[in-house]
Amino acid sequence: MNSPLSFAAHRSPPGQGVPVDRALVGFLSRLPMLEGVPRTVIEDLACSAQARRVSRGTVLWSPGDAADTVCFVRSGVVVTTRSMGDHDVTLDYLGRGELIGLGGGVRGGEARMHEDGTLLSMSRAAFDAWLGRHPDLAPVFLDCASAEGRRLAERLALVSMHGAKSRLALLLLDLAARFGVRDSRGVIVDVRLTHRELAALIGATRETVSVAIVDLRSAALIATESRRVVLLDPPGLEAVAGA
């Protein structure tokens, strides 16, 4: 079965008859990891990328698949998981502007679309060729490649903390920092997560998370609406997380 991200051989760099997608170049140039990078270098990268609209629930890759595709998340949310013995650990939810798939060899976990979105995919060969033409950017992407390992360590450290309510408060603060949208009430975590999905991120049961959410809501620290959490009092949540 073909991957939803599989595609033909990558295109040629700029200057070889390939039109440059200006919207794609604009998106890439605004990414923090590419801040200050010359436009010609970003155009070179854009010529290797293809935009793919991917539906919620689509598995991008599974454990054991060849690590032959690199993707930027242009819209939507991707969830990554990894098998740890007899159960799966949810590593992360990744949104706009984040890079996935840099690890080499074979995939150690699964990546799946959590919400409908658009991915900018390119073959690993095309990405490596681009990086070879611009080796001064290698440290930036080396850090990106090690991010999955760091996130796994963070998740395991979070699970080891005492108190599900403290773990949940810390998780909500982390999600707000990455998916937060401010409104008059506070900060909306703009990704829809069920109690079960939140539980998988902190190593708790769904029932425990439901009780913790009720407690945080009763304390006027959060509100919930349409499977989204609104942080009403971030400093108060920080105090709970610290406890």
Side-chain angles (χ1 to χ4, degrees):
M1 182 177 65
N2 289 334
S3 163
L5 301 177
S6 61
F7 50 88
H10 63 278
R11 296 173 288 173
S12 302
Q16 298 184 24
V18 177
V20 177
D21 184 331
R22 294 183 182 277
L24 176 51
V25 171
F27 167 75
L28 291 170
S29 65
R30 290 190 292 272
L31 298 182
M33 69 184 72
L34 295 175
E35 184 178 3
V37 173
R39 185 178 179 86
T40 53
V41 176
I42 294 176
E43 289 177 347
D44 188 6
L45 177 63
C47 283
S48 295
Q50 298 183 31
R52 302 298 177 93
R53 187 70 182 169
V54 189
S55 301
R56 171 183 169 86
T58 300
V59 175
L60 306 178
W61 54 73
S62 301
D65 287 351
D68 56 4
T69 307
V70 177
C71 303
F72 289 93
V73 182
R74 189 171 187 177
S75 66
V77 179
V78 176
V79 58
T80 57
T81 61
R82 175 164 293 196
S83 178
M84 299 291 290
D86 59 353
H87 66 285
D88 291 336
V89 173
T90 300
L91 291 181
D92 211 355
Y93 287 83
L94 303 154
R96 180 179 173 85
E98 299 197 71
L99 180 61
I100 60 174
L102 270 180
V106 297
R107 304 297 187 191
E110 180 184 273
R112 172 174 43 84
M113 292 302 294
H114 178 72
E115 295 179 0
D116 293 349
T118 299
L119 303 179
L120 304 180
S121 63
M122 66 195 76
S123 71
R124 182 59 189 258
F127 180 81
D128 287 347
W130 172 79
L131 203 56
R133 293 191 293 274
H134 312 287
D136 53 316
L137 293 175
V140 174
F141 292 97
L142 181 62
D143 184 64
C144 290
S146 63
E148 183 177 339
R150 292 199 305 270
R151 297 301 291 179
L152 177 59
E154 289 169 2
R155 289 288 169 245
L156 295 177
L158 184 60
V159 169
S160 70
M161 290 176 59
H162 294 294
K165 187 157 60 174
S166 294
R167 302 202 301 271
L168 179 61
L170 188 61
L171 172 66
L172 293 176
L173 289 165
D174 174 57
L175 291 173
R178 297 164 57 221
F179 293 97
V181 176
R182 291 195 172 274
D183 75 354
S184 58
R185 297 166 297 169
V187 182
I188 303 170
V189 177
D190 194 23
V191 55
R192 291 184 175 89
L193 296 171
T194 65
H195 290 190
R196 188 179 301 279
E197 288 164 341
L198 290 169
L201 283 164
I202 64 170
T205 65
R206 179 187 62 78
E207 293 78 9
T208 298
V209 164
S210 296
V211 170
I213 285 177
V214 169
D215 287 348
L216 295 175
R217 199 163 50 202
S218 298
L221 298 176
I222 67 170
T224 55
E225 55 181 32
S226 302
R227 287 169 52 196
R228 286 189 175 96
V229 178
V230 183
L231 276 58
L232 304 176
D233 182 2
L237 277 178
E238 290 173 2
V240 172

